Amino acid sequence: MTELFCVQVALPVPLRQLFDYRLAPASAPATVGARIRVPFAGRELVGVIMAVKASGTVAPEKIKSAIELLDPEPVLPADIVQLLSWAADYYHCPIGEAIQAALPVLLRQGEPPEYQQDPHSRYWQLTPEGQGLPDQPLRKAPRQAELILYLREQGPSRWQDLKTAGFARDALKRLCERQLIEPTHAPRRQFSPQAALPLNEDQRLALDNIDLSKYNTYLLDGITGSGKTEVYLQAIARTLEANPLAQTLVLVPEIGLTPQTIRRFERRFDEDIVTLHSGLSDRERLNAWTKASDGSARIIIGTRSAIFTPLRHPSLIIVDEEHDGSFKQQDGFRYSARDLACLRAKNLGIPIILGSATPALESLYNARRQRYTQLKLRQRANQQAAPRIQIVDSNECAPDRSITDFSMNAIRRHLDAGNQVLVFLNRRGYAPTLQCYDCGSQVLCPNCDARLTLHQQPRHLHCHHCDYQSPALTRCSNCNSHKLLALGSGTERSEELLARELPGTDIIRIDRDSTRQKNSLENKLASIKSGGPCVLVGTQMIAKGHHFPDVTLAIILDVDSGLLSADFRGPERMGQLITQVAGRAGRAQKPGEVILQSRTPEHPLLNLLVQQDYQQFAEAILTEREITLMPPYSHLALLRADAPNAEQALHFLQGLRIFSDSLPHDPALQVLGPMPSLMEKRGQRFRYLIQLKSTSRGLLNQHLQILAHHISELKPHRNLRWSIDVDPQDMS
Ligand code: ADP
Ligand code: ZN
Ligand code: ZN
C-alpha cells in the first residue's frame, strides 16, 4: 500500500460517470478544474479533474496512473465546474460531454491556456502617418482616399472585409508603399468615443431600477426600437464606475452577433472587448477565452456556448433577444444558455438582464410570479409611430400565386414612394410539392416522410430534411403521365412572380440557396442598405438582426404555418416573428406598414396580436397553456429514439415505457407514448418519442435519472440513437 493522490476525472466519452486515476504526489498539487492527460481504452484522452481525494490508501494496482497533469492552476474555475455539474445533472448529459462543450477546441487538445498571436488573422490598419492625414485625404487618388476613410471609420480590418466593401488589392498595395497603412496581427484599437444618450423616461426608470450590487433577474421588456441596447450600455457603464475591473458577459442569438452590434459596444467603451462565436478560428477562440478568463477583457459578447466562459471579475450578465430559439442547443448537450445564465448569475450573486421585444412565455410567467423584475419600455426611443398591421385573406389567391392583389398594390405604392419592401416566406425553393395531375400522387423523398421541393435555380428536386437530391422528373413515376404540377410557392417562385409583375424593379432574394457563395449575403445586404427602391424576398434569414432603414412595408406570406402548427409553441413563435418583422418596418424616419396574409384571417389569436399587441397576445396564449397544463404551467421532457429499423426504435421505447410504468406511480407525472415523431421517417431512420410531463420539476428530474441509469445498463444496440431533451424547444 502506497500513499497517493486519487483524482476523479470527467472524460469526453458518452458514459455517465467519472473515472479514477492516480497521480504521483508530484510538484504541482492536483486541483478541481485542471486538465489531466490519461490513458483510456488504448488511447490518450484529455479530461478535467472533478474531485481530488487528497490522499488515500488505495491498492495501486487497482487504478491506472495518469500520464500528466496539464494545468498547475485550474482552467475551469469553481463556478463553471459547479454550473456544468448542475447542467449535466439537469439535462441528463454525461458530465464529460458537458465539459467538452464548454472547453475551446485547443484546450480539449491539451494546448496551454495562453494568448498567442494567430498567424492567420492579419489586419490592415492606418499607420500614424495615415491617421494624421487631413479629413479629405489624397484628392488625386479617390479609391485610396476612400480606403483611408473606411479604415478610419471601421478600425483595423481584414482583407476579406475590405474586399466585401468593394476595395481592390491595388489600392491596398499603393497605400502600403506610401506607408499610410500597414498589415498587423495585433490591431491597434482606434477608439472614437460616442457619448451616452440622454435617456427617456422609460429608459431612466428601467436603469434606476436595476440594482447592480446583487443578484436579481430583470426582464427588460421593450418594444423594438425602444432603446434596450442603450439601457445595456449604461448599465455596463455604471458597473465599470463601481469597479473598473468589472466584467460583463453579453449573450446574443446566433444571428445577432453582427459587426454593427459589436461596434455599438466598441464605440462606447475604451476597453478590451472580445467576441466568442462560431466564425472564429480555434486560436482566436482560445485567445478571446483567455482574455475573459484572466480578467483582461471587460466585455465578452458571445453566442450560446459563451455562457461557459470563465470570468475573473464577473459583475453583470445580459441576454439579448432572450426569447430566441438559438439559445437552446438542439443536439448532444441540450442546454438552454438563457436558463443557465440565470443560474450562473444567481450562483455568483450578480444581476442579470434578459431583454426582448417579445419575451418568451416562460419569462413573462416568471415576471408575473415576481421571480423576475419586469422593466417595461413602451415608447420608441426615436419617437416614431408604431407600424400599421393588417390581415389579408389569401384564400382568393390562385394556387400558383403567393402574393394577393391587395399586397401587390401595396408593394407598388411603397416602391413608387421610393421605399423598400420586405416579403417574408419561410420556405425556400420554387414549389414545395410536385403532383401528378392525372393520378394525384406526389413526389416523395425516398429517405423521409416528406415531399421533395422543386427548385429551379438550378432545376432539381431536393429534400429539405435529409438533403437528398435528384434531377427533376418529367413524368409521373406512378402512371407515367407528363402532367406534373408544381403546387404552392417558395421564395424562388415568389421572386419570379414579383419580377414578372414589377418589371424593372430590383428583386433581391435572400435564403440559404441564394447566399451559398462566400460574401453573397454581405453583398446583397450592402446593396439593400445603399438605398433605392427594391423588393427583398426571403426566409428567416431576413427577419432577424438586420436593420433596413428604407423598408416601409413588410409582408408575411404564410402566418398560418405557425398558427396551425402541430408544435404547441407554434403560435408563440409566429407572434414573436410577426412582432419582430413589424419592428423592422419603418425604423428610420418613415412610417411603416405590415400585411399578414392568412387563410384563416378570422383567427382570434392573430386578431388579438394585430388589434392589441404582443402583451395581450402572450396573455391569451398563457391562459391556453394554463388550461392545457403545458409549459410554463408544467415541465416537459422528451425521450427520443431512432434507428434504421422501425421495430428496433419502437421496441426500445416500449421497453422503457414498461419499465417506467413499473416504478412507483405518482399522479403528478404523466407519460405519453411511445409515439411516432412528427416526421416518422427521416434520413432513412425511424423516429419515435416518449413525452414526460409533470407539474413537479423534482419528480420529473428524478424519474429521468432512473430512466437514464436504466438505459445505460441496457447498453442499447449501436444502430440505435437515443436522447433525453429537458425543456425541449422543438417537439418533433
Ligand atoms: P432596441 O434594442 O430596443 O430595438 P435600440 O437600442 O436599437 O432599440 O434603439 C433604437 C434607436 O433609438 C437607435 O438608433 C438608438 O440609437 C436610438 N436611441 C436609443 N435610446 C435613445 C435615446 N434615449 N435618445 C435618442 N435616441 C435613442
Ligand atoms: Zn400520375
Ligand atoms: Zn429526405
Side-chain angles (χ1 to χ4, degrees):
M1 303 295 249
T2 336
E3 268 253 296
L4 46 77
F5 281 103
C6 172
V7 290
Q8 296 192 298
V9 180
L11 291 176
V13 293
L15 296 171
R16 289 157 198 275
Q17 64 179 93
L18 297 174
F19 298 88
D20 286 347
Y21 287 91
R22 69 192 160 97
L23 201 61
S27 45
T31 46
V32 170
R35 291 168 306 153
I36 189 168
R37 197 189 298 276
V38 297
F40 184 86
R43 290 178 297 160
E44 283 185 12
L45 293 179
V46 173
V48 171
I49 298 175
M50 300 300 284
V52 182
K53 292 178 190 161
S55 73
T57 40
V58 192
E61 63 278 9
K62 287 249 172 74
I63 40 175
K64 282 195 211 146
S65 284
I67 297 165
E68 86 185 292
L69 183 65
L70 290 167
D71 305 309
E73 302 259 307
V75 289
L76 295 177
D79 85 289
I80 298 291
V81 171
Q82 183 192 359
L83 187 70
L84 284 166
S85 307
W86 186 92
D89 255 14
Y90 181 86
Y91 294 107
H92 301 278
C93 171
I95 179 70
E97 290 189 351
I99 291 207
Q100 180 87 344
L103 283 179
V105 171
L106 292 180
L107 292 186
R108 286 182 220 161
Q109 295 169 349
E111 294 275 318
E114 290 166 1
Y115 185 95
Q116 276 176 26
Q117 279 312 330
D118 182 353
H120 300 293
S121 63
R122 188 155 82 146
Y123 293 80
W124 293 93
Q125 68 182 6
L126 297 173
T127 58
E129 295 86 83
Q131 274 174 45
L133 288 179
D135 279 352
Q136 292 181 327
L138 314 180
R139 282 170 191 263
K140 290 198 188 121
R143 292 302 289 161
Q144 292 175 42
E146 262 182 62
L147 184 48
I148 296 267
L149 293 176
Y150 180 90
L151 290 176
R152 203 173 271 175
E153 171 76 4
Q154 307 290 328
S157 305
R158 293 165 195 255
W159 164 238
Q160 213 38 264
D161 299 323
L162 297 177
K163 201 169 80 179
T164 306
F167 293 104
R169 275 259 181 222
D170 199 41
L172 206 66
K173 206 168 132 233
R174 290 278 151 72
L175 287 173
C176 215
E177 284 161 7
R178 300 171 79 161
Q179 298 189 346
L180 295 171
I181 67 170
E182 63 189 357
T184 174
H185 294 303
R188 266 194 313 276
R189 175 101 174 274
Q190 289 150 14
F191 181 61
S192 52
Q194 189 197 49
L197 299 170
L199 298 183
N200 66 34
E201 186 63 19
D202 278 0
Q203 288 173 314
R204 199 183 48 72
L205 216 65
L207 186 64
D208 287 345
N209 270 307
I210 299 175
D211 181 348
L212 291 162
S213 68
K214 62 170 202 275
Y215 162 70
N216 190 13
T217 306
Y218 298 93
L219 179 61
L220 184 62
D221 173 2
I223 60 171
T224 335
S226 59
K228 292 184 288 297
T229 311
E230 189 61 34
V231 175
Y232 304 152
L233 292 171
Q234 299 200 21
I236 296 174
R238 287 192 180 184
T239 309
L240 285 167
E241 271 164 34
N243 171 12
L245 296 178
Q247 291 178 291
T248 300
L249 176 64
V250 185
L251 296 183
V252 296
E254 258 152 33
I255 210 152
L257 195 51
T258 58
Q260 291 112 288
T261 314
I262 299 165
R263 218 163 297 129
R264 278 179 86 172
F265 285 85
E266 286 181 341
R267 287 243 167 99
R268 190 62 62 86
F269 301 102
D270 191 7
E271 303 279 358
D272 207 342
I273 297 175
V274 295
T275 56
L276 285 160
H277 56 88
S278 56
L280 300 181
S281 71
D282 291 345
R283 175 55 63 190
E284 288 171 322
R285 175 169 275 271
L286 180 55
N287 283 347
W289 192 92
T290 305
K291 284 181 163 192
S293 167
D294 69 15
S296 56
R298 295 277 84 75
I299 301 173
I300 296 89
I301 311 177
T303 50
R304 186 173 58 226
S305 67
I307 184 55
F308 300 116
T309 315
L311 300 172
R312 179 62 62 95
H313 307 286
S315 303
L316 172 65
I317 301 180
I318 294 168
V319 183
D320 190 28
E321 308 286 4
E322 62 87 30
H323 66 279
D324 194 276
S326 74
F327 288 122
K328 179 85 187 336
Q329 167 99 7
Q330 302 284 14
D331 52 22
F333 179 21
R334 294 172 164 77
Y335 64 94
S336 157
R338 184 213 36 217
D339 295 349
L340 289 181
C342 294
L343 181 73
R344 188 172 179 195
K346 187 173 176 194
N347 292 344
L348 291 168
I350 62 171
I352 174 166
I353 307 173
L354 308 177
S356 177
T358 52
L361 295 191
E362 279 84 356
S363 303
L364 287 172
Y365 173 81
N366 281 325
R368 200 199 261 181
R369 307 233 318 198
Q370 262 111 54
R371 285 200 208 134
Y372 297 173
T373 305
Q374 190 168 10
L375 308 168
K376 295 188 183 180
L377 306 180
R378 284 289 164 269
Q379 33 178 321
R380 285 196 171 191
N382 38 19
Q383 300 301 324
Q384 197 202 312
R388 190 162 69 105
I389 310 184
Q390 306 173 72
I391 306 170
V392 171
D393 187 345
S394 57
N395 287 300
E396 53 162 271
C397 266
D400 58 344
R401 279 179 69 94
S402 54
I403 301 171
T404 63
D405 291 343
F406 182 92
S407 304
M408 202 58 95
N409 287 332
I411 294 176
R412 289 199 183 90
R413 204 159 18 86
H414 283 259
L415 290 175
D416 287 346
N419 295 321
Q420 299 180 337
V421 176
L422 190 156
V423 177
F424 177 83
L425 169 63
N426 217 4
R427 196 188 294 134
R428 60 199 174 90
Y430 188 79
T433 308
L434 197 57
Q435 187 170 30
C436 173
Y437 177 81
D438 287 321
C439 77
S441 65
Q442 300 181 335
V443 184
L444 302 177
C445 174
N447 306 326
C448 308
D449 291 330
R451 290 170 302 205
L452 289 176
T453 298
L454 176 67
H455 286 246
Q456 296 285 33
Q457 299 168 8
R459 188 174 160 84
H460 72 289
L461 293 167
H462 200 145
C463 175
H464 290 176
H465 305 283
C466 73
D467 231 20
Y468 169 86
Q469 300 184 35
S470 79
L473 304 175
T474 50
R475 284 182 178 277
C476 171
S477 53
N478 188 38
C479 74
N480 216 29
S481 160
H482 62 270
K483 282 187 248 166
L484 289 176
L485 306 177
L487 300 182
S489 290
T491 45
E492 282 183 7
R493 196 175 209 172
S494 302
E495 177 190 26
E496 183 189 85
L497 174 68
L498 287 161
R500 198 167 58 230
E501 304 252 328
L502 307 166
T505 306
D506 263 345
I507 315 289
I508 301 171
R509 175 165 62 91
I510 295 188
D511 56 28
R512 201 134 48 89
D513 304 308
S514 78
T515 55
R516 233 176 261 284
Q517 274 170 340
K518 215 164 181 209
N519 294 330
S520 59
L521 177 62
E522 287 82 356
N523 291 339
K524 281 167 188 265
L525 293 176
S527 89
I528 295 159
K529 282 174 191 165
S530 70
C534 67
V535 181
L536 244 128
V537 50
T539 56
Q540 195 86 7
M541 288 178 82
I542 55 172
K544 295 187 203 167
H546 302 293
H547 187 4
F548 302 120
D550 292 320
V551 168
T552 52
L553 171 65
I555 303 177
I556 302 181
L557 297 187
D558 62 344
V559 288
D560 303 317
S561 64
L563 284 179
L564 309 175
S565 152
D567 190 325
F568 77 98
R569 282 187 227 270
E572 175 186 359
R573 295 254 164 72
M574 185 46 72
Q576 289 165 341
L577 179 76
I578 291 172
T579 310
Q580 297 280 348
V581 170
R584 304 267 160 258
R587 274 182 67 132
Q589 301 320 315
K590 301 172 175 178
E593 195 180 336
V594 178
I595 297 175
L596 309 177
Q597 288 195 179
S598 171
R599 293 188 186 279
T600 56
E602 310 296 327
H603 198 295
L605 278 178
L606 197 55
N607 283 276
L608 192 61
L609 185 64
V610 170
Q611 281 148 25
Q612 303 289 319
D613 56 9
Y614 181 77
Q615 304 297 310
Q616 302 293 320
F617 170 83
E619 289 292 323
I621 310 189
L622 268 177
T623 307
E624 265 181 27
R625 300 259 184 102
E626 186 168 14
I627 294 166
T628 53
L629 214 64
M630 289 302 271
Y633 293 91
S634 66
H635 309 288
L636 282 185
L638 296 180
L639 232 162
R640 297 191 183 91
D642 65 70
N645 174 318
E647 270 304 291
Q648 196 183 10
L650 201 53
H651 243 105
F652 171 76
L653 288 183
Q654 276 160 350
L656 285 184
R657 177 66 202 258
I658 292 167
F659 173 76
S660 166
D661 288 346
S662 73
L663 299 169
H665 176 71
D666 190 318
L669 180 79
Q670 197 193 79
V671 184
L672 278 177
M675 54 195 150
S677 300
L678 240 38
M679 188 176 294
E680 184 170 355
K681 183 180 159 206
R682 180 172 176 170
Q684 295 279 24
R685 299 181 72 91
F686 293 85
R687 310 155 69 233
Y688 302 89
L689 55 84
I690 289 177
Q691 179 187 300
L692 298 105
K693 177 162 116 173
S694 180
T695 47
S696 158
R697 176 64 80 189
L699 185 66
L700 179 65
N701 194 37
Q702 202 182 6
H703 200 81
L704 287 170
Q705 196 117 39
I706 298 171
L707 287 181
H709 183 73
H710 179 67
I711 297 171
S712 44
E713 294 199 325
L714 284 178
K715 301 199 168 54
H717 191 270
R718 264 189 301 126
N719 281 342
L720 185 123
R721 284 194 308 225
W722 66 276
S723 64
I724 294 175
D725 192 351
V726 180
D727 306 332
Q729 288 296 306
D730 174 5
M731 300 298 287
S732 65

